[in-house]
Amino acid sequence: MELLKHLAVIILNIDLWSATSKLSAEDLALNGIDPNKLPPEQLASLGSIRLLGRDALRDLENLKRKAERLCQASGTRFLGGYAIPRDKAAEVVAELEAIKQQFHDKKREFLAGFDAATETWVAKNPPQWAQIIRNAAKSREARAAEILSFNFAAVAVATPEELSDNSGLVEETQGLLGSLYHEVRQSARTTYEQSFVGRREANRKILRPLMQIRDKLSGLCFVAPQEIGEAIGVIDEVLAKLPPSGPIAGADLDMLAGLVGRRLAHIGQVSMTLPLEEQGEEDSPDDQPIDPGAPLPAPSEACFAPLSFDF
């Protein structure tokens, strides 16, 4: 299928340890709680006990999120991974390799400080639970070393020659545009709420999330060249009207807020090229699927126009 020729799919395989252990009746008995007075198993379960403080694994959790953000910035979710433009795949893979090394370094640090982290957690909890925490943590240390892992793979996707029909892949590919627009809407709404609401003036750092959205759209422009190219053109038109330096305020900030909070926050649901007040329900369709077998239309010039902004 035509679209798939332009994509690499990056699959992340990152596992974190929960730092918990199942709480047993014996654990409760050691603390003077009669297990015979517990409700039957079909009614309630004992749950789990936390063995380390939440900050003990924070660095590893942050690295997992960093890898996900990296893939999300260049691509969109697809087949359990991220569809990345092929011309960006090498760059993304190189950055993932660096994050993978950081993860392994932090894993070694975590395991080397496991006993100290356990004692820190013991000190923060009632003393009658100390031995239970120590025993459970010690028994789970080796398991934690097994579970904590970071890997990824970049693959090309195609229908095997021996399959005459691959309707599932067709359906997944048809959802690429909707997935891309959904992620852009989420990013735009978060940006609007965090960076625009209640502000009368902003420095030029406020443009960074918008430039990230533009880069994401530009990289995946081949998914729907004309439509995405028009959206990029609207972004560029607004950016071109901003002063070249200094704070952004007044009508300029209102214009930028309208782009982020009204247009991009509803991309795929309203036209990017018409004023919102001119649009009726007929102009606000759900995300439209694409035909992955059709030849790609000629891309808009905006798809290939790089843009740099000094902020």
Side-chain angles (χ1 to χ4, degrees):
M1 292 182 290
E2 188 70 19
L3 280 178
L4 297 178
K5 297 177 182 178
H6 299 267
L7 292 175
V9 177
I10 293 182
I11 300 170
L12 299 179
N13 186 14
I14 307 170
D15 288 326
L16 299 175
W17 181 48
S18 66
T20 61
S21 179
K22 182 174 173 57
L23 193 62
S24 69
E26 290 76 13
D27 293 333
L28 298 181
L30 287 175
N31 281 276
I33 300 173
D34 186 356
N36 294 321
K37 294 183 179 180
L38 296 175
E41 289 186 4
Q42 67 265 26
L43 178 62
S45 62
L46 286 171
S48 61
I49 182 170
R50 174 158 288 279
L51 308 179
L52 299 174
R54 296 185 182 277
D55 57 344
L57 289 158
R58 189 160 295 152
D59 288 342
L60 294 170
E61 292 168 352
N62 288 341
L63 288 170
K64 179 180 181 181
R65 284 193 287 268
K66 183 177 180 180
E68 293 169 342
R69 287 196 302 269
L70 171 64
C71 294
Q72 194 92 24
S74 296
T76 187
R77 292 189 181 277
F78 182 59
L79 297 178
Y82 298 85
I84 304 289
R86 283 206 177 188
D87 59 0
K88 289 189 176 183
E91 177 186 345
V92 173
V93 165
E95 292 188 54
L96 285 173
E97 286 287 0
I99 298 172
K100 180 179 179 178
Q101 185 58 54
Q102 294 172 34
F103 187 95
H104 289 163
D105 292 343
K106 288 297 181 182
K107 175 182 175 179
R108 283 193 292 270
E109 289 180 19
F110 167 74
L111 294 174
F114 191 92
D115 291 343
T118 300
E119 290 304 317
T120 298
W121 183 238
V122 165
K124 292 180 178 179
N125 287 281
Q128 63 267 32
W129 291 94
Q131 198 54 46
I132 293 174
I133 295 173
R134 290 190 184 103
N135 291 343
K138 197 64 181 175
S139 68
R140 299 292 289 173
E141 183 176 0
R143 182 62 179 149
E146 290 179 12
I147 292 174
L148 290 168
S149 63
F150 186 114
N151 207 357
F152 65 92
V155 299
V157 179
T159 296
E161 293 181 2
E162 58 271 20
L163 289 183
S164 59
D165 175 62
N166 197 353
S167 57
L169 181 58
V170 171
E171 290 175 8
E172 291 291 329
T173 307
Q174 286 176 332
L176 273 170
L177 183 60
S179 175
L180 172 61
Y181 280 166
H182 173 71
E183 291 169 3
V184 169
R185 288 196 296 269
Q186 284 187 316
S187 179
R189 289 166 185 172
T190 299
T191 298
Y192 179 77
E193 291 171 3
Q194 294 180 351
S195 301
F196 288 92
V197 173
R199 287 199 180 190
R200 297 183 178 180
E201 181 178 287
N203 61 36
R204 304 190 77 77
K205 290 181 181 179
I206 203 171
L207 297 176
R208 288 179 180 171
L210 177 59
M211 294 300 295
Q212 290 168 353
I213 289 174
R214 186 194 185 279
D215 288 346
K216 183 182 178 96
L217 288 170
S218 180
L220 292 167
C221 195
F222 56 82
V223 173
Q226 197 63 42
E227 185 175 339
I228 296 176
E230 289 175 356
I232 295 171
V234 172
I235 294 173
D236 291 352
E237 182 181 353
V238 170
L239 291 174
K241 293 178 180 178
L242 296 176
S245 61
I248 301 172
D252 292 328
L253 187 62
D254 291 342
M255 176 179 63
L256 197 59
L259 171 63
V260 175
R262 299 181 71 199
R263 294 185 179 278
L264 290 173
H266 296 90
I267 189 171
Q269 299 172 331
V270 300
S271 169
M272 286 286 291
T273 56
L274 290 175
L276 292 181
E277 57 269 18
E278 295 182 15
Q279 298 176 17
E281 291 184 4
E282 65 276 9
D283 298 312
S284 303
D286 293 331
D287 296 337
Q288 294 297 310
I290 52 179
D291 179 0
L296 291 177
S300 162
E301 290 183 4
C303 290
F304 301 107
L307 185 66
S308 59
F309 220 85
D310 183 13
F311 50 82

